[in-house]
Amino acid sequence: MRTLDDLDVKGRRVLVRADLNVPLDGETITDDGRIRASVPTIRALAGRGAKVIVCAHLGRPKGQVKPEFSLRPVARRLGELLGQDVAFATDVAGPSARSTVEELQEGQVALLENLRYEPGEESKDDATREAFAAELAGLAELYVGDGFGAVHRKHASVYDVPRLLPHAAGGLVVAEVEVLRRLTEATERPYVVVLGGAKVSDKLGVIANLLTKVDRLLIGGGMAYTFLKAQGYEVGGSLLQDDQLDQVRGFLNEAAKRGVDLVLPVDVLAATHFAEDAPYDVVEADAIPADRQGLDIGPRTRELFASKLADARTVFWNGPMGVFEFDEFAGGTRAVAEALIGSEAFTVVGGGDSAAAVRKLGLPEDGFSHISTGGGASLEYLEGKTLPGLAALED
Ligand code: 3PG
Ligand code: MG
């Protein structure tokens, strides 16, 4: 991949695809990690005299202009972090975008409105996507791909635009790929992966691939209940994907056959209902009462997971262990994070929710070797898939 150093950007219009998809509460950004991660590349380009045009998506407005998905609050925050004004275009590639770009001086930065307001951005029809890509490309002379969190999407701004303009990978994409490469090539052992999050169906591909690579696979979070059920346990009202039971039984067999230590919760916090203040008991994982639901891993599981991480040399963690948004049910996620912070291993936190959890729990970000900005993207990379946004940058 070409990098920023390979581009002569002075005085030129450079379109930067960033991932600025941050959680919002109204217009308040509740976690600005992805904006901060995007700053170095934008600053470097501006510092070299480029006219920087940033494009990004927010949420899933599905091709419609919906004000609650506007990037305007993000432009403000980006400006604060850069320490310079960020001009904001109120459309993506229309009259506002064109005049905003025209007014840009060397070293100045503009942000375009949410790419996903345009149906062409995500269209499955190549011609529709390419037509929109041509409009976007028309705003600029060069392209920098730096939206690591979106490189697994075959979208116009990610996949088609770099085929129309001279391009390079931004610093964030380069750094993320370097880390993921370390997780897939000549990995130091023991290699332990911790997976959580709500749905096992989101992780099927990565589990199948990891079972051929890791020494231990620790499973917590909502997806663990489908594994417990597959072992014949009752899970009460816990999250369950009935249609995945066969798949999961296959994983349990495969792990046993390959000698992978697949570790499941041994106890859980079983709550009466899904709420911050719901009463709960610690129960054995094989004895969840029918009228209860598991909202976090229990204390014995936290110790078990920590012991399985203690001698690891490489760790990848994706997905919370429980409903960390509720203080009462954040303990399992905190325990895993703390085990990683205390570890000598090369530790990588993958993705949106787990990265946000680390920050929400007030844990030191520098306690980890790397916190990725891409959840789906890092999982698909580890799954061994070709990521369209990386393939386009490599060409
Ligand atoms: C993310 O939040 O994972 C990335 O920004 C990609 O967003 P998407 O999952 O809506 O494509
Ligand atoms: Mg996502």
Side-chain angles (χ1 to χ4, degrees):
M1 279 192 295
R2 275 175 301 272
T3 64
L4 293 188
D5 292 337
D6 302 313
L7 291 184
D8 181 11
V9 300
K10 183 161 170 56
R12 314 199 48 201
R13 285 171 278 118
V14 182
L15 183 69
V16 180
R17 179 38 160 121
D19 183 358
L20 305 177
N21 190 21
V22 290
L24 283 177
D25 180 6
E27 291 197 2
T28 307
I29 296 161
T30 53
D31 179 51
D32 67 0
R34 279 179 165 156
I35 309 177
R36 284 188 283 124
S38 302
V39 161
T41 292
I42 296 170
R43 185 175 278 148
L45 288 167
R48 284 164 52 187
K51 302 173 180 177
V52 188
I53 309 157
V54 183
C55 66
H57 72 279
L58 185 85
R60 294 176 175 169
K62 305 217 161 99
Q64 285 176 10
V65 177
K66 295 186 179 162
E68 66 272 31
F69 293 102
S70 173
L71 277 170
R72 193 184 280 281
V74 172
R76 222 173 289 134
R77 183 75 188 122
L78 180 60
E80 286 166 12
L81 290 166
L82 283 168
Q84 71 180 86
D85 276 350
V86 171
F88 184 65
T90 55
D91 57 26
V92 188
S96 172
R98 284 194 297 271
S99 67
T100 304
V101 166
E102 206 146 291
E103 283 162 25
L104 276 182
Q105 305 295 314
E106 289 186 13
Q108 292 188 337
V109 179
L111 175 65
L112 307 178
E113 186 50 289
N114 192 344
L115 287 160
R116 293 186 182 174
Y117 281 179
E118 288 288 339
E121 167 69 358
E122 301 181 75
S123 176
K124 299 256 185 291
D125 176 55
D126 289 344
T128 308
R129 232 182 33 247
E130 284 162 15
F132 172 59
E135 285 182 49
L136 262 181
L139 296 171
E141 297 156 273
L142 302 167
Y143 174 92
V144 170
D146 208 33
F148 177 73
V151 291
H152 59 316
R153 304 294 185 210
K154 192 178 173 182
H155 293 168
S157 65
V158 176
Y159 177 74
D160 301 281
V161 178
R163 302 165 96 200
L164 299 173
L165 292 174
H167 53 263
L172 178 62
V173 159
V174 170
E176 295 268 16
V177 169
E178 231 167 70
V179 166
L180 288 168
R181 209 171 270 151
R182 219 172 134 178
L183 294 179
T184 45
E185 290 165 19
T187 313
E188 268 196 79
R189 297 181 175 279
Y191 178 16
V192 185
V193 170
V194 188
L195 291 180
K199 288 189 181 163
V200 65
S201 56
D202 291 345
K203 312 259 159 83
L204 298 175
V206 79
I207 294 172
N209 200 35
L210 286 173
L211 284 175
T212 70
K213 305 242 173 351
V214 302
D215 300 297
R216 296 175 203 137
L217 181 58
L218 281 42
I219 297 197
M223 63 188 274
Y225 301 99
T226 302
F227 280 83
L228 293 171
K229 178 85 176 186
Q231 289 196 314
Y233 301 159
E234 265 320 310
V235 296
S238 307
L239 273 183
L240 174 66
Q241 286 188 289
D242 264 317
D243 55 340
Q244 302 298 334
L245 285 170
D246 282 343
Q247 215 12 296
V248 164
R249 272 184 212 109
F251 290 149
L252 290 166
N253 289 335
E254 185 68 17
K257 212 166 73 195
R258 290 183 173 272
V260 172
D261 191 9
L262 197 156
V263 188
L264 296 175
V266 292
D267 60 351
V268 307
L269 305 191
T272 55
H273 58 289
F274 187 88
E276 173 96 68
D277 58 354
Y280 66 88
D281 294 296
V282 177
V283 304
E284 297 297 294
D286 62 358
I288 302 175
D291 59 349
R292 294 291 184 99
Q293 51 183 292
L295 296 188
D296 196 7
I297 55 173
R300 282 203 302 123
T301 305
R302 296 173 198 179
E303 271 176 39
L304 174 66
F305 281 16
S307 75
K308 298 282 181 183
L309 289 162
D311 66 340
R313 298 296 308 155
T314 306
V315 182
F316 175 74
W317 169 36
N318 177 285
M321 296 293 102
V323 189
F324 74 91
E325 296 86 346
F326 299 159
D327 290 345
E328 285 292 332
F329 304 107
T333 302
R334 178 183 291 280
V336 164
E338 282 172 348
L340 265 63
I341 290 170
S343 159
E344 301 275 282
F346 180 61
T347 53
V348 180
V349 182
D353 281 352
S354 0
V358 163
R359 291 186 282 262
K360 148 137 213 280
L361 298 176
L363 296 162
E365 289 178 68
D366 61 3
F368 305 88
S369 308
H370 181 74
I371 299 182
S372 175
T373 54
S378 48
L379 288 173
E380 288 197 21
Y381 187 101
L382 293 181
E383 195 176 329
K385 280 194 182 166
T386 298
L387 306 184
L390 295 182
L393 292 175
E394 276 157 12
D395 277 347

